[in-house]
Amino acid sequence: MSDSQKPSVRAEPNPEFQSLVHDPRLRIVLFCFLMTALFMATLDNQIVSTALPTIVGEFGQLERFGWVGSAYLLAMSAVMPLYGKLGDLFGRKYVMMAAIFIFTVGSLVCGLSVSMTTLIAARVLQGMGGGGIMVSIFSVNADLFEPRVRARYQSYSSLVLMASGAIGPTLGGTLSEWLGWRSIFLVNLPIGIIVLTGLAFFLPYRKPHRRPKIDYAGALLLAGAVTSVVFWADSGQIFGSLIAPASLGVVAFGVVCAFLWVQVERRAPEPIVPLSLFAKPTVCLLWIVSICSGAVGIGSVNYVALYLQTTTGLSPTMAGLLFIATTGGIAIGSLNSGRLISRYGRYKKFTLISGAGSCLVFAIFSQLPVGTPIYIIGLLMLIHGTSVGIAQQVPVIGVQNAVPQRDVGAATGTVTLTRMGGASLAISIYGAVLSSSIVGGAAIPGVKNIEELTPAAMAALNPETRAVVTAVYAHAFSPVFISMSLMIGASFVAALFLKNVQLPTIGKKPSR
């Protein structure tokens, strides 16, 4: 019996939904403010990437280049669960406003940085605000819209992600060239002030009916465990190997933090992440889906870009333009699946379609011969983007629906955290696979180190040498794409075990 023929399963019980805002027009206004904040937070990483060479040119310290991005990711990942829980305890409004304020101040400090050290420290502050923005936006959405309607509105976030991904690198390069690299951070100031003002005046405050008790020990231990995972993912670059003694020390520290965190959470009256979530099969399966979708949807981007520039001869600009197929597919898939989930109330089939689509795409990528026409590669990228978009909002919607209203913020934080954690780990895995697969570079005449070849340097090689380099990279990327296919295949397997849940609507009981 197919999923469409099986009777739907009633969602786990939730209290009757009551929107935080009753005026539909005001809900749309608030949603626009939320999307503006999301755009600001997601644009930041995109816009910084193309300005980094300029920053290094001023400050030097090329060896700390990666930390400008890693510091932001570390801080963001560490605070996500904390913000979700604080929203449950104190109400979403002021917690989200605090996150936007911290992010805005961090942007100001970044723009005023006088050294690489101060810039990295400011990026940590920025990340502490950015993590809160990412979590709080989806938590506030859960207060504004009922589950089915929420699916449609959360799909619009894909348009914001697509816009930031499409214009971020170009905008970063343009601003740094014409106004200086500091402008890429200072541009956040007016945006942050506008969003703060809008939320202050228009977003009502709903005081939770519970006495706030902050689990400080649990927050610190969870931050230590999460930071260790993300830091270990980057330790190959820092310490030379993922299994170097220092890297293993990071792993040991994370294991100890995780063990102590479990012991603390068992006794905490208001745990940062309620351990009861781990007893819900739906939540655990959606965490796996979220990890895998982050690993492939986010973690694969830089490697696909490198593949395009090393095996097809495309320039960085043309390779970037080809990503319009991916971002456009994400928007198409997300908007359409959001409407269908809103109409029919089921999300399992979309998770299956998404996992199967991306798994097939990367399996095909692993077998593409050198010289494959660009239009075929573009078509595969479009299918992958559409597959990612189809299930992009499913983990958030599914987890929010599977937990009591009192734990929505904490549960939402775990989904965002698992997605970012999956991306961080996958990036390291792909890098290790690619490095171990590149062989024979030293034997190529005229090529001292194949890994140091830039696209411009490759274009300057004679045709025979360039063909050999292209073949080496094509061979090396095959296992990378296989690893991507296996990761997203794990998402498909997890989705098979999901219940065929029917999302509730106000005033109606879900059908069985």
Side-chain angles (χ1 to χ4, degrees):
M1 183 181 293
S2 66
D3 273 341
S4 61
Q5 295 172 319
K6 290 180 181 178
S8 59
V9 178
R10 182 172 179 172
E12 296 182 38
N14 270 324
E16 183 71 17
F17 177 83
Q18 292 182 350
S19 176
L20 186 63
V21 177
H22 299 293
D23 185 350
R25 290 175 296 182
L26 182 55
R27 282 202 295 268
I28 300 302
V29 171
L30 284 168
F31 183 76
C32 290
F33 280 119
L34 295 178
M35 291 300 99
T36 303
L38 178 63
F39 180 77
M40 178 176 68
T42 56
L43 180 69
D44 190 75
N45 257 356
Q46 303 289 342
I47 203 173
V48 168
S49 61
T50 49
L52 276 177
T54 305
I55 296 172
V56 173
E58 178 174 331
F59 290 150
Q61 295 183 305
L62 179 62
E63 71 279 2
R64 303 174 74 180
F65 174 93
W67 275 102
V68 178
S70 296
Y72 184 83
L73 183 60
L74 279 167
M76 178 184 285
S77 301
V79 301
M80 279 178 175
L82 178 60
Y83 272 104
K85 189 63 180 183
L86 290 176
D88 290 335
L89 291 174
F90 296 100
R92 324 274 187 220
K93 176 176 180 175
Y94 296 117
V95 171
M96 180 166 185
M97 290 180 64
I100 295 173
F101 177 77
I102 293 171
F103 181 87
T104 305
V105 172
S107 299
L108 175 62
V109 179
C110 284
L112 300 177
S113 296
V114 296
S115 67
M116 187 66 83
T117 300
T118 55
L119 176 60
I120 292 172
R123 287 286 282 168
V124 171
L125 182 61
Q126 228 188 354
M128 292 174 67
I133 292 173
M134 297 293 289
V135 172
S136 299
I137 282 173
F138 295 112
S139 298
V140 173
N141 274 346
D143 286 342
L144 293 177
F145 304 105
E146 62 174 294
R148 286 201 187 185
V149 177
R150 193 184 310 154
R152 183 170 71 249
Y153 279 94
Q154 288 188 178
S155 70
Y156 296 149
S157 65
S158 296
L159 292 178
V160 176
L161 297 173
M162 182 187 72
S164 63
I167 73 172
T170 303
L171 184 61
T174 302
L175 287 176
S176 61
E177 180 179 356
W178 292 97
L179 300 176
W181 65 264
R182 298 177 190 276
S183 64
I184 68 174
F185 298 109
L186 298 179
V187 73
N188 290 326
L189 269 62
I191 300 175
I193 292 171
I194 290 172
V195 175
L196 273 175
T197 303
L199 295 179
F201 281 100
F202 297 115
L203 182 64
Y205 172 64
R206 176 186 284 174
K207 184 177 181 180
H209 300 294
R210 60 209 287 190
R211 184 179 179 182
K213 296 179 181 179
I214 303 177
D215 178 18
Y216 293 106
L220 288 174
L221 289 169
L222 181 59
V226 172
T227 302
S228 297
V229 172
V230 180
F231 188 69
W232 175 76
D234 284 334
S235 65
Q237 178 182 357
I238 300 169
F239 301 125
S241 171
L242 292 176
I243 58 175
S247 299
L248 295 179
V250 171
V251 174
F253 176 78
V255 170
V256 171
C257 286
F259 174 79
L260 293 176
W261 173 74
V262 172
Q263 306 309 310
V264 168
E265 298 301 87
R266 284 177 174 174
R267 298 172 177 82
E270 287 287 357
I272 291 295
V273 178
L275 296 182
S276 60
L277 296 183
F278 292 89
K280 297 179 180 293
T282 296
V283 173
C284 294
L285 290 170
L286 288 172
W287 282 341
I288 296 174
V289 171
S290 181
I291 291 171
C292 297
S293 64
V296 177
I298 302 174
S300 68
V301 173
N302 289 341
Y303 289 92
V304 172
L306 181 61
Y307 169 81
L308 293 175
Q309 294 176 56
T310 54
T311 65
T312 66
L314 291 178
S315 66
T317 301
M318 293 305 297
L321 289 174
L322 197 59
F323 271 94
I324 293 175
T326 300
T327 53
I330 291 173
I332 293 170
S334 183
L335 290 174
N336 284 284
S337 66
R339 289 190 177 94
L340 292 171
I341 293 173
S342 178
R343 177 179 298 179
Y344 299 110
R346 298 172 182 162
Y347 57 76
K348 175 177 178 177
K349 64 181 68 176
F350 297 99
T351 313
L352 291 169
I353 294 171
S354 174
S358 290
C359 182
L360 178 62
V361 164
F362 285 112
I364 295 174
F365 259 123
S366 70
Q367 302 302 315
L368 288 181
V370 175
T372 299
I374 297 299
Y375 72 86
I376 293 180
I377 295 176
L379 178 61
L380 290 172
M381 294 175 69
L382 174 64
I383 296 172
H384 167 59
T386 305
S387 299
V388 170
I390 284 173
Q392 190 170 59
Q393 70 268 30
V394 165
V396 173
I397 295 170
V399 167
Q400 287 178 343
N401 188 71
V403 302
Q405 188 68 23
R406 60 183 277 126
D407 292 329
V408 163
T412 303
T414 63
V415 173
T416 314
L417 174 62
T418 52
R419 182 173 293 163
M420 298 301 295
S424 300
L425 290 173
I427 287 171
S428 293
I429 292 172
Y430 302 152
V433 173
L434 181 62
S435 296
S436 64
S437 301
I438 294 179
V439 293
I444 301 175
V447 177
K448 183 177 180 180
N449 187 342
I450 189 173
E451 296 185 35
E452 294 179 356
L453 281 177
T454 64
M458 282 191 63
L461 296 174
N462 63 65
E464 293 78 11
T465 303
R466 188 164 61 246
V468 175
V469 172
T470 298
V472 169
Y473 267 109
H475 172 77
F477 267 104
S478 180
V480 174
F481 289 135
I482 290 174
S483 67
M484 293 178 185
S485 182
L486 292 174
M487 285 187 182
I488 201 64
S491 170
F492 178 84
V493 173
L496 286 173
F497 293 94
L498 284 171
K499 295 179 181 179
N500 193 22
V501 169
Q502 178 89 25
L503 295 175
T505 54
I506 296 177
K508 295 182 180 179
K509 292 184 177 181
S511 60
R512 289 181 177 270

